[in-house]
Every structure is written in C-alpha cells, then in structure tokens.
Amino acid sequence: MNRVWQAYFGTGLVSMSEDLGTQSEMPSHAELLDWLACEFMDRGWSLKAMHRLIVGSATYRQSSRGSPGLYARDPYNRLLARGPRFRVEAEIVRDIALASSGLLNRKLGGPSVYAPAPGLPLPTPCELCPLPLEGGDRS
C-alpha cells in the first residue's frame, strides 16, 4: 500500500518504497499504513477499490496551497496538511499538445512518429545519436 500511496502523494508513508524492513525509517503515519493494509485485505485484495478509497479521501482532495506558517512547520508535507503538487510527465505534455493541435494519431502500435516543428531548427533523431563504432569497440 505504500507504493499506491506514493503514486498519489509523491512520497510514501515510508519514504523508501523499496525497503520496509527493520533498517528503514519509521512510517510517518504507521497507523494509516496498517489501516490501509487491512482495508486492502478486507476489500478482497482489490487495487481498484484502494484507488477509489484514496482518491475519495479528504487528504487527497485538499488544496495544495498552504499558509507560510504551514510551510515553515512542515516543508516536506509529511503531516499531510496540504494536498500534493502534481508534475506531469513529458510524454503527457507532448500528447496534450498534439491532441490540441489535431496532430495526435490515436492508432496504437507502429513506428515512432515525430511531430512537425515548422520554423524550428531542430535536429532529427539520427543527428542526435553518434554513429556506432566499427568492431564493437566503445572506448
């Protein structure tokens, strides 16, 4: 459940999502982590149910804006007093731009497509990659 929480809030209840052993730091909200694990079992090990539970929570739905005093008291938001700030991945930004310009091809599969960039002196992908060395020597 720590990884699911981390996907929504940017940081897990235990900061290292790979290591929940005795040498990791203690969870910021141990009771919440235990409760989420019990809910996961009670809901038939359904990730979909857990996603709905987290997205419907007041913690997830709160604003990411906070007062200066709140930022000073909890700069990393470990107390969950404000909502997380979301960053959008580059691929999503690209897809949004292509969709809004009408250039997005919704067909799945096939070779990669590079959108036209008129008026911009951008190198082609082949120009960005060096030619492979002969004989397999990479030094």
Side-chain angles (χ1 to χ4, degrees), residues 26-39:
M26 293 298 294
S28 60
H29 298 77
E31 296 86 12
L32 176 59
L33 188 58
D34 288 342
W35 181 80
L36 286 171
C38 291
E39 284 294 313

Side-chain angles (χ1 to χ4, degrees), residues 38-69:
C38 291
E39 284 294 313
F40 187 43
M41 290 184 291
D42 291 345
R43 293 174 187 238
W45 305 96
S46 170
L47 282 174
K48 185 176 184 178
M50 296 310 296
H51 289 295
R52 284 184 177 160
L53 178 69
I54 291 173
V55 171
S57 70
T59 303
Y60 179 80
R61 296 173 61 197
Q62 65 188 350
S63 173
S64 63
R65 293 184 182 166
S67 66

